Amino acid sequence: MILLVMVHLVAAVGVIFGGWSWSGLALAIGVYYVRMVVVTAGYHRYFSHRAFRTSRVFQFLLAVASQSAAQSDVLWWASHHRWHHRHSDTPLDLHSVKQQGFWHAHLGWILSDKWKADLKVVPDLAKYPELRFLSRPGISFLPSAVLGLAFLVIGGVHGLVWGFMVSTVLLWHGSFAINSLTHMFGSRRYATKDNSRNHWLLAIITTGEGWHNNHHHYPSAANQGFFWWELDMTYLVLRCLAKVGLIWDLQRPPAAVLAGPLVADENQAELDRVA
């Protein structure tokens, strides 16, 4: 909680007293998108859902890069996210708009101390000592601290404020929007047991995560945009990494999964039938 408040405060004070900067905004947005791809590819699609395979060395590098987003360690992130999928939109869900309302789903849940990393949920990850090391207190936020220091050294206060602080605030709220907004706005293609929805704008903002109903229908897919018109920038990056051999065995939804079960909406079903 202290870190969350501090980064928001420093970002706001830095922008107010340092003055508005279009180049700073461009830097923040550019860095945001790079970091969002890392979060979605690392924390989410690999560590939470094992949607592709990679080497142990690249796994460690992916963990370090993911933790530079200042969203805690990969064991914590993956364990709470797997729990969310098991109990989505039920009373046991950590961040359900349906159960606790928008603000708790978006931000309140992370400010509480109800969730501690449960290694029983992530035994496939907890067996690696290097990942357990990264989850230790004082170590988990070291990658983000090093990234912030790098922006300060390379770009001075301007680089620290816009490149790290502002981009981190944007990154947090972009990530949190998947917990909240994609369970409120958009269309439902698949008849999942939760209220997950697809939204094209949120998919652009979150490099593909906005195809949330697709994702809840088949969580283990490396692609969340199931059809060619559903832009998924993270998946495009994953395909590039696969071409150079850094990752492999990218999981895709089979035809039977794409076929349904569909939401009982004649217009949506017809669109999917034609597609």
Side-chain angles (χ1 to χ4, degrees), residues 43-60:
Y43 274 139
H44 193 198
R45 305 193 194 189
Y46 180 72
F47 290 107
S48 296
H49 296 292
R50 309 309 293 267
F52 56 89
R53 296 174 61 197
T54 188
S55 66
R56 188 164 175 176
V57 171
F58 194 72
Q59 173 182 268
F60 177 74

mmCIF file with all atom_site columns, all heavy atoms in Angstrom, residues 43-60:
data_model
loop_
_atom_site.group_PDB
_atom_site.id
_atom_site.type_symbol
_atom_site.label_atom_id
_atom_site.label_alt_id
_atom_site.label_comp_id
_atom_site.label_asym_id
_atom_site.label_entity_id
_atom_site.label_seq_id
_atom_site.pdbx_PDB_ins_code
_atom_site.Cartn_x
_atom_site.Cartn_y
_atom_site.Cartn_z
_atom_site.occupancy
_atom_site.B_iso_or_equiv
_atom_site.pdbx_formal_charge
_atom_site.auth_seq_id
_atom_site.auth_comp_id
_atom_site.auth_asym_id
_atom_site.auth_atom_id
_atom_site.pdbx_PDB_model_num
ATOM 1   N N   . TYR A 1 43 ? 3.896  -12.441 -16.255 1.00 0.00 ? 43 TYR A N   1
ATOM 2   C CA  . TYR A 1 43 ? 3.010  -12.724 -15.123 1.00 0.00 ? 43 TYR A CA  1
ATOM 3   C C   . TYR A 1 43 ? 1.801  -13.558 -15.541 1.00 0.00 ? 43 TYR A C   1
ATOM 4   O O   . TYR A 1 43 ? 1.456  -14.534 -14.875 1.00 0.00 ? 43 TYR A O   1
ATOM 5   C CB  . TYR A 1 43 ? 2.461  -11.416 -14.547 1.00 0.00 ? 43 TYR A CB  1
ATOM 6   C CG  . TYR A 1 43 ? 3.307  -10.715 -13.523 1.00 0.00 ? 43 TYR A CG  1
ATOM 7   C CD1 . TYR A 1 43 ? 3.436  -9.324  -13.564 1.00 0.00 ? 43 TYR A CD1 1
ATOM 8   C CD2 . TYR A 1 43 ? 3.937  -11.395 -12.479 1.00 0.00 ? 43 TYR A CD2 1
ATOM 9   C CE1 . TYR A 1 43 ? 4.170  -8.639  -12.612 1.00 0.00 ? 43 TYR A CE1 1
ATOM 10  C CE2 . TYR A 1 43 ? 4.675  -10.715 -11.532 1.00 0.00 ? 43 TYR A CE2 1
ATOM 11  C CZ  . TYR A 1 43 ? 4.792  -9.336  -11.601 1.00 0.00 ? 43 TYR A CZ  1
ATOM 12  O OH  . TYR A 1 43 ? 5.518  -8.654  -10.657 1.00 0.00 ? 43 TYR A OH  1
ATOM 13  N N   . HIS A 1 44 ? 1.125  -13.127 -16.625 1.00 0.00 ? 44 HIS A N   1
ATOM 14  C CA  . HIS A 1 44 ? -0.177 -13.697 -16.928 1.00 0.00 ? 44 HIS A CA  1
ATOM 15  C C   . HIS A 1 44 ? -0.113 -14.964 -17.776 1.00 0.00 ? 44 HIS A C   1
ATOM 16  O O   . HIS A 1 44 ? -0.482 -16.043 -17.332 1.00 0.00 ? 44 HIS A O   1
ATOM 17  C CB  . HIS A 1 44 ? -1.048 -12.645 -17.620 1.00 0.00 ? 44 HIS A CB  1
ATOM 18  C CG  . HIS A 1 44 ? -2.489 -13.034 -17.703 1.00 0.00 ? 44 HIS A CG  1
ATOM 19  N ND1 . HIS A 1 44 ? -3.368 -12.446 -18.576 1.00 0.00 ? 44 HIS A ND1 1
ATOM 20  C CD2 . HIS A 1 44 ? -3.207 -13.971 -17.030 1.00 0.00 ? 44 HIS A CD2 1
ATOM 21  C CE1 . HIS A 1 44 ? -4.562 -12.996 -18.420 1.00 0.00 ? 44 HIS A CE1 1
ATOM 22  N NE2 . HIS A 1 44 ? -4.489 -13.923 -17.500 1.00 0.00 ? 44 HIS A NE2 1
ATOM 23  N N   . ARG A 1 45 ? 0.362  -14.835 -18.999 1.00 0.00 ? 45 ARG A N   1
ATOM 24  C CA  . ARG A 1 45 ? 0.229  -15.966 -19.916 1.00 0.00 ? 45 ARG A CA  1
ATOM 25  C C   . ARG A 1 45 ? 1.232  -17.092 -19.625 1.00 0.00 ? 45 ARG A C   1
ATOM 26  O O   . ARG A 1 45 ? 0.922  -18.255 -19.846 1.00 0.00 ? 45 ARG A O   1
ATOM 27  C CB  . ARG A 1 45 ? 0.330  -15.477 -21.365 1.00 0.00 ? 45 ARG A CB  1
ATOM 28  C CG  . ARG A 1 45 ? -0.690 -14.378 -21.646 1.00 0.00 ? 45 ARG A CG  1
ATOM 29  C CD  . ARG A 1 45 ? -0.876 -14.059 -23.100 1.00 0.00 ? 45 ARG A CD  1
ATOM 30  N NE  . ARG A 1 45 ? -1.602 -12.783 -23.240 1.00 0.00 ? 45 ARG A NE  1
ATOM 31  C CZ  . ARG A 1 45 ? -2.069 -12.312 -24.360 1.00 0.00 ? 45 ARG A CZ  1
ATOM 32  N NH1 . ARG A 1 45 ? -1.902 -12.987 -25.496 1.00 0.00 ? 45 ARG A NH1 1
ATOM 33  N NH2 . ARG A 1 45 ? -2.704 -11.143 -24.390 1.00 0.00 ? 45 ARG A NH2 1
ATOM 34  N N   . TYR A 1 46 ? 2.405  -16.723 -19.101 1.00 0.00 ? 46 TYR A N   1
ATOM 35  C CA  . TYR A 1 46 ? 3.360  -17.789 -18.796 1.00 0.00 ? 46 TYR A CA  1
ATOM 36  C C   . TYR A 1 46 ? 3.225  -18.293 -17.362 1.00 0.00 ? 46 TYR A C   1
ATOM 37  O O   . TYR A 1 46 ? 2.885  -19.458 -17.124 1.00 0.00 ? 46 TYR A O   1
ATOM 38  C CB  . TYR A 1 46 ? 4.799  -17.348 -19.047 1.00 0.00 ? 46 TYR A CB  1
ATOM 39  C CG  . TYR A 1 46 ? 5.784  -18.457 -18.723 1.00 0.00 ? 46 TYR A CG  1
ATOM 40  C CD1 . TYR A 1 46 ? 5.889  -19.572 -19.549 1.00 0.00 ? 46 TYR A CD1 1
ATOM 41  C CD2 . TYR A 1 46 ? 6.549  -18.420 -17.561 1.00 0.00 ? 46 TYR A CD2 1
ATOM 42  C CE1 . TYR A 1 46 ? 6.740  -20.625 -19.234 1.00 0.00 ? 46 TYR A CE1 1
ATOM 43  C CE2 . TYR A 1 46 ? 7.415  -19.467 -17.241 1.00 0.00 ? 46 TYR A CE2 1
ATOM 44  C CZ  . TYR A 1 46 ? 7.504  -20.565 -18.078 1.00 0.00 ? 46 TYR A CZ  1
ATOM 45  O OH  . TYR A 1 46 ? 8.336  -21.603 -17.746 1.00 0.00 ? 46 TYR A OH  1
ATOM 46  N N   . PHE A 1 47 ? 3.467  -17.434 -16.376 1.00 0.00 ? 47 PHE A N   1
ATOM 47  C CA  . PHE A 1 47 ? 3.508  -17.916 -15.000 1.00 0.00 ? 47 PHE A CA  1
ATOM 48  C C   . PHE A 1 47 ? 2.136  -18.318 -14.465 1.00 0.00 ? 47 PHE A C   1
ATOM 49  O O   . PHE A 1 47 ? 2.026  -19.281 -13.706 1.00 0.00 ? 47 PHE A O   1
ATOM 50  C CB  . PHE A 1 47 ? 4.149  -16.861 -14.091 1.00 0.00 ? 47 PHE A CB  1
ATOM 51  C CG  . PHE A 1 47 ? 5.618  -16.694 -14.331 1.00 0.00 ? 47 PHE A CG  1
ATOM 52  C CD1 . PHE A 1 47 ? 6.112  -15.564 -14.969 1.00 0.00 ? 47 PHE A CD1 1
ATOM 53  C CD2 . PHE A 1 47 ? 6.519  -17.676 -13.949 1.00 0.00 ? 47 PHE A CD2 1
ATOM 54  C CE1 . PHE A 1 47 ? 7.476  -15.422 -15.215 1.00 0.00 ? 47 PHE A CE1 1
ATOM 55  C CE2 . PHE A 1 47 ? 7.887  -17.545 -14.190 1.00 0.00 ? 47 PHE A CE2 1
ATOM 56  C CZ  . PHE A 1 47 ? 8.363  -16.413 -14.819 1.00 0.00 ? 47 PHE A CZ  1
ATOM 57  N N   . SER A 1 48 ? 1.094  -17.609 -14.849 1.00 0.00 ? 48 SER A N   1
ATOM 58  C CA  . SER A 1 48 ? -0.239 -17.953 -14.347 1.00 0.00 ? 48 SER A CA  1
ATOM 59  C C   . SER A 1 48 ? -0.869 -19.105 -15.110 1.00 0.00 ? 48 SER A C   1
ATOM 60  O O   . SER A 1 48 ? -1.526 -19.960 -14.515 1.00 0.00 ? 48 SER A O   1
ATOM 61  C CB  . SER A 1 48 ? -1.162 -16.735 -14.419 1.00 0.00 ? 48 SER A CB  1
ATOM 62  O OG  . SER A 1 48 ? -0.706 -15.701 -13.579 1.00 0.00 ? 48 SER A OG  1
ATOM 63  N N   . HIS A 1 49 ? -0.672 -19.146 -16.439 1.00 0.00 ? 49 HIS A N   1
ATOM 64  C CA  . HIS A 1 49 ? -1.395 -20.118 -17.256 1.00 0.00 ? 49 HIS A CA  1
ATOM 65  C C   . HIS A 1 49 ? -0.512 -21.083 -18.045 1.00 0.00 ? 49 HIS A C   1
ATOM 66  O O   . HIS A 1 49 ? -1.046 -21.986 -18.704 1.00 0.00 ? 49 HIS A O   1
ATOM 67  C CB  . HIS A 1 49 ? -2.333 -19.380 -18.224 1.00 0.00 ? 49 HIS A CB  1
ATOM 68  C CG  . HIS A 1 49 ? -3.417 -18.612 -17.531 1.00 0.00 ? 49 HIS A CG  1
ATOM 69  N ND1 . HIS A 1 49 ? -4.429 -19.233 -16.842 1.00 0.00 ? 49 HIS A ND1 1
ATOM 70  C CD2 . HIS A 1 49 ? -3.622 -17.269 -17.392 1.00 0.00 ? 49 HIS A CD2 1
ATOM 71  C CE1 . HIS A 1 49 ? -5.236 -18.307 -16.325 1.00 0.00 ? 49 HIS A CE1 1
ATOM 72  N NE2 . HIS A 1 49 ? -4.759 -17.110 -16.632 1.00 0.00 ? 49 HIS A NE2 1
ATOM 73  N N   . ARG A 1 50 ? 0.795  -20.890 -18.004 1.00 0.00 ? 50 ARG A N   1
ATOM 74  C CA  . ARG A 1 50 ? 1.733  -21.776 -18.706 1.00 0.00 ? 50 ARG A CA  1
ATOM 75  C C   . ARG A 1 50 ? 1.291  -22.000 -20.146 1.00 0.00 ? 50 ARG A C   1
ATOM 76  O O   . ARG A 1 50 ? 1.207  -23.122 -20.645 1.00 0.00 ? 50 ARG A O   1
ATOM 77  C CB  . ARG A 1 50 ? 1.881  -23.110 -17.961 1.00 0.00 ? 50 ARG A CB  1
ATOM 78  C CG  . ARG A 1 50 ? 2.201  -22.989 -16.495 1.00 0.00 ? 50 ARG A CG  1
ATOM 79  C CD  . ARG A 1 50 ? 3.389  -22.086 -16.190 1.00 0.00 ? 50 ARG A CD  1
ATOM 80  N NE  . ARG A 1 50 ? 4.650  -22.613 -16.670 1.00 0.00 ? 50 ARG A NE  1
ATOM 81  C CZ  . ARG A 1 50 ? 5.470  -23.353 -15.923 1.00 0.00 ? 50 ARG A CZ  1
ATOM 82  N NH1 . ARG A 1 50 ? 5.133  -23.644 -14.676 1.00 0.00 ? 50 ARG A NH1 1
ATOM 83  N NH2 . ARG A 1 50 ? 6.599  -23.791 -16.412 1.00 0.00 ? 50 ARG A NH2 1
ATOM 84  N N   . ALA A 1 51 ? 1.011  -20.899 -20.838 1.00 0.00 ? 51 ALA A N   1
ATOM 85  C CA  . ALA A 1 51 ? 0.484  -20.949 -22.197 1.00 0.00 ? 51 ALA A CA  1
ATOM 86  C C   . ALA A 1 51 ? 1.563  -21.236 -23.237 1.00 0.00 ? 51 ALA A C   1
ATOM 87  O O   . ALA A 1 51 ? 1.249  -21.414 -24.419 1.00 0.00 ? 51 ALA A O   1
ATOM 88  C CB  . ALA A 1 51 ? -0.217 -19.627 -22.539 1.00 0.00 ? 51 ALA A CB  1
ATOM 89  N N   . PHE A 1 52 ? 2.814  -21.274 -22.815 1.00 0.00 ? 52 PHE A N   1
ATOM 90  C CA  . PHE A 1 52 ? 3.911  -21.656 -23.702 1.00 0.00 ? 52 PHE A CA  1
ATOM 91  C C   . PHE A 1 52 ? 5.035  -22.206 -22.835 1.00 0.00 ? 52 PHE A C   1
ATOM 92  O O   . PHE A 1 52 ? 4.967  -22.162 -21.599 1.00 0.00 ? 52 PHE A O   1
ATOM 93  C CB  . PHE A 1 52 ? 4.387  -20.473 -24.555 1.00 0.00 ? 52 PHE A CB  1
ATOM 94  C CG  . PHE A 1 52 ? 4.812  -19.260 -23.763 1.00 0.00 ? 52 PHE A CG  1
ATOM 95  C CD1 . PHE A 1 52 ? 6.114  -19.094 -23.320 1.00 0.00 ? 52 PHE A CD1 1
ATOM 96  C CD2 . PHE A 1 52 ? 3.891  -18.254 -23.479 1.00 0.00 ? 52 PHE A CD2 1
ATOM 97  C CE1 . PHE A 1 52 ? 6.498  -17.976 -22.597 1.00 0.00 ? 52 PHE A CE1 1
ATOM 98  C CE2 . PHE A 1 52 ? 4.261  -17.123 -22.748 1.00 0.00 ? 52 PHE A CE2 1
ATOM 99  C CZ  . PHE A 1 52 ? 5.566  -16.984 -22.318 1.00 0.00 ? 52 PHE A CZ  1
ATOM 100 N N   . ARG A 1 53 ? 6.047  -22.728 -23.472 1.00 0.00 ? 53 ARG A N   1
ATOM 101 C CA  . ARG A 1 53 ? 7.190  -23.284 -22.750 1.00 0.00 ? 53 ARG A CA  1
ATOM 102 C C   . ARG A 1 53 ? 8.439  -22.487 -23.091 1.00 0.00 ? 53 ARG A C   1
ATOM 103 O O   . ARG A 1 53 ? 8.531  -21.846 -24.146 1.00 0.00 ? 53 ARG A O   1
ATOM 104 C CB  . ARG A 1 53 ? 7.391  -24.751 -23.120 1.00 0.00 ? 53 ARG A CB  1
ATOM 105 C CG  . ARG A 1 53 ? 6.237  -25.654 -22.701 1.00 0.00 ? 53 ARG A CG  1
ATOM 106 C CD  . ARG A 1 53 ? 6.432  -27.070 -23.219 1.00 0.00 ? 53 ARG A CD  1
ATOM 107 N NE  . ARG A 1 53 ? 7.662  -27.657 -22.678 1.00 0.00 ? 53 ARG A NE  1
ATOM 108 C CZ  . ARG A 1 53 ? 8.258  -28.739 -23.193 1.00 0.00 ? 53 ARG A CZ  1
ATOM 109 N NH1 . ARG A 1 53 ? 7.749  -29.333 -24.263 1.00 0.00 ? 53 ARG A NH1 1
ATOM 110 N NH2 . ARG A 1 53 ? 9.359  -29.211 -22.646 1.00 0.00 ? 53 ARG A NH2 1
ATOM 111 N N   . THR A 1 54 ? 9.413  -22.545 -22.171 1.00 0.00 ? 54 THR A N   1
ATOM 112 C CA  . THR A 1 54 ? 10.657 -21.843 -22.397 1.00 0.00 ? 54 THR A CA  1
ATOM 113 C C   . THR A 1 54 ? 11.754 -22.509 -21.572 1.00 0.00 ? 54 THR A C   1
ATOM 114 O O   . THR A 1 54 ? 11.498 -23.462 -20.816 1.00 0.00 ? 54 THR A O   1
ATOM 115 C CB  . THR A 1 54 ? 10.536 -20.353 -22.025 1.00 0.00 ? 54 THR A CB  1
ATOM 116 O OG1 . THR A 1 54 ? 11.717 -19.657 -22.434 1.00 0.00 ? 54 THR A OG1 1
ATOM 117 C CG2 . THR A 1 54 ? 10.338 -20.157 -20.531 1.00 0.00 ? 54 THR A CG2 1
ATOM 118 N N   . SER A 1 55 ? 12.973 -22.008 -21.708 1.00 0.00 ? 55 SER A N   1
ATOM 119 C CA  . SER A 1 55 ? 14.095 -22.557 -20.948 1.00 0.00 ? 55 SER A CA  1
ATOM 120 C C   . SER A 1 55 ? 14.069 -22.015 -19.526 1.00 0.00 ? 55 SER A C   1
ATOM 121 O O   . SER A 1 55 ? 13.404 -21.013 -19.222 1.00 0.00 ? 55 SER A O   1
ATOM 122 C CB  . SER A 1 55 ? 15.414 -22.173 -21.610 1.00 0.00 ? 55 SER A CB  1
ATOM 123 O OG  . SER A 1 55 ? 15.617 -20.768 -21.537 1.00 0.00 ? 55 SER A OG  1
ATOM 124 N N   . ARG A 1 56 ? 14.803 -22.655 -18.659 1.00 0.00 ? 56 ARG A N   1
ATOM 125 C CA  . ARG A 1 56 ? 14.869 -22.205 -17.264 1.00 0.00 ? 56 ARG A CA  1
ATOM 126 C C   . ARG A 1 56 ? 15.537 -20.839 -17.164 1.00 0.00 ? 56 ARG A C   1
ATOM 127 O O   . ARG A 1 56 ? 15.130 -19.998 -16.353 1.00 0.00 ? 56 ARG A O   1
ATOM 128 C CB  . ARG A 1 56 ? 15.618 -23.231 -16.420 1.00 0.00 ? 56 ARG A CB  1
ATOM 129 C CG  . ARG A 1 56 ? 15.566 -22.938 -14.917 1.00 0.00 ? 56 ARG A CG  1
ATOM 130 C CD  . ARG A 1 56 ? 15.973 -24.153 -14.135 1.00 0.00 ? 56 ARG A CD  1
ATOM 131 N NE  . ARG A 1 56 ? 16.038 -23.875 -12.708 1.00 0.00 ? 56 ARG A NE  1
ATOM 132 C CZ  . ARG A 1 56 ? 16.302 -24.791 -11.788 1.00 0.00 ? 56 ARG A CZ  1
ATOM 133 N NH1 . ARG A 1 56 ? 16.526 -26.053 -12.160 1.00 0.00 ? 56 ARG A NH1 1
ATOM 134 N NH2 . ARG A 1 56 ? 16.344 -24.475 -10.502 1.00 0.00 ? 56 ARG A NH2 1
ATOM 135 N N   . VAL A 1 57 ? 16.520 -20.589 -18.008 1.00 0.00 ? 57 VAL A N   1
ATOM 136 C CA  . VAL A 1 57 ? 17.206 -19.292 -17.990 1.00 0.00 ? 57 VAL A CA  1
ATOM 137 C C   . VAL A 1 57 ? 16.259 -18.181 -18.421 1.00 0.00 ? 57 VAL A C   1
ATOM 138 O O   . VAL A 1 57 ? 16.147 -17.138 -17.755 1.00 0.00 ? 57 VAL A O   1
ATOM 139 C CB  . VAL A 1 57 ? 18.453 -19.315 -18.907 1.00 0.00 ? 57 VAL A CB  1
ATOM 140 C CG1 . VAL A 1 57 ? 19.030 -17.909 -19.062 1.00 0.00 ? 57 VAL A CG1 1
ATOM 141 C CG2 . VAL A 1 57 ? 19.507 -20.264 -18.347 1.00 0.00 ? 57 VAL A CG2 1
ATOM 142 N N   . PHE A 1 58 ? 15.534 -18.400 -19.526 1.00 0.00 ? 58 PHE A N   1
ATOM 143 C CA  . PHE A 1 58 ? 14.619 -17.361 -19.992 1.00 0.00 ? 58 PHE A CA  1
ATOM 144 C C   . PHE A 1 58 ? 13.439 -17.209 -19.036 1.00 0.00 ? 58 PHE A C   1
ATOM 145 O O   . PHE A 1 58 ? 12.900 -16.116 -18.876 1.00 0.00 ? 58 PHE A O   1
ATOM 146 C CB  . PHE A 1 58 ? 14.121 -17.670 -21.409 1.00 0.00 ? 58 PHE A CB  1
ATOM 147 C CG  . PHE A 1 58 ? 13.458 -16.490 -22.070 1.00 0.00 ? 58 PHE A CG  1
ATOM 148 C CD1 . PHE A 1 58 ? 14.207 -15.404 -22.499 1.00 0.00 ? 58 PHE A CD1 1
ATOM 149 C CD2 . PHE A 1 58 ? 12.088 -16.460 -22.254 1.00 0.00 ? 58 PHE A CD2 1
ATOM 150 C CE1 . PHE A 1 58 ? 13.604 -14.302 -23.088 1.00 0.00 ? 58 PHE A CE1 1
ATOM 151 C CE2 . PHE A 1 58 ? 11.472 -15.362 -22.851 1.00 0.00 ? 58 PHE A CE2 1
ATOM 152 C CZ  . PHE A 1 58 ? 12.234 -14.281 -23.268 1.00 0.00 ? 58 PHE A CZ  1
ATOM 153 N N   . GLN A 1 59 ? 13.050 -18.289 -18.386 1.00 0.00 ? 59 GLN A N   1
ATOM 154 C CA  . GLN A 1 59 ? 12.000 -18.208 -17.370 1.00 0.00 ? 59 GLN A CA  1
ATOM 155 C C   . GLN A 1 59 ? 12.414 -17.248 -16.251 1.00 0.00 ? 59 GLN A C   1
ATOM 156 O O   . GLN A 1 59 ? 11.612 -16.425 -15.793 1.00 0.00 ? 59 GLN A O   1
ATOM 157 C CB  . GLN A 1 59 ? 11.730 -19.591 -16.786 1.00 0.00 ? 59 GLN A CB  1
ATOM 158 C CG  . GLN A 1 59 ? 10.768 -19.600 -15.609 1.00 0.00 ? 59 GLN A CG  1
ATOM 159 C CD  . GLN A 1 59 ? 10.561 -20.987 -15.029 1.00 0.00 ? 59 GLN A CD  1
ATOM 160 O OE1 . GLN A 1 59 ? 9.657  -21.702 -15.423 1.00 0.00 ? 59 GLN A OE1 1
ATOM 161 N NE2 . GLN A 1 59 ? 11.424 -21.376 -14.095 1.00 0.00 ? 59 GLN A NE2 1
ATOM 162 N N   . PHE A 1 60 ? 13.664 -17.370 -15.809 1.00 0.00 ? 60 PHE A N   1
ATOM 163 C CA  . PHE A 1 60 ? 14.163 -16.483 -14.755 1.00 0.00 ? 60 PHE A CA  1
ATOM 164 C C   . PHE A 1 60 ? 14.201 -15.038 -15.238 1.00 0.00 ? 60 PHE A C   1
ATOM 165 O O   . PHE A 1 60 ? 13.778 -14.117 -14.521 1.00 0.00 ? 60 PHE A O   1
ATOM 166 C CB  . PHE A 1 60 ? 15.557 -16.920 -14.315 1.00 0.00 ? 60 PHE A CB  1
ATOM 167 C CG  . PHE A 1 60 ? 16.182 -16.018 -13.287 1.00 0.00 ? 60 PHE A CG  1
ATOM 168 C CD1 . PHE A 1 60 ? 15.744 -16.047 -11.966 1.00 0.00 ? 60 PHE A CD1 1
ATOM 169 C CD2 . PHE A 1 60 ? 17.189 -15.136 -13.633 1.00 0.00 ? 60 PHE A CD2 1
ATOM 170 C CE1 . PHE A 1 60 ? 16.311 -15.200 -11.007 1.00 0.00 ? 60 PHE A CE1 1
ATOM 171 C CE2 . PHE A 1 60 ? 17.760 -14.297 -12.687 1.00 0.00 ? 60 PHE A CE2 1
ATOM 172 C CZ  . PHE A 1 60 ? 17.319 -14.337 -11.373 1.00 0.00 ? 60 PHE A CZ  1
#
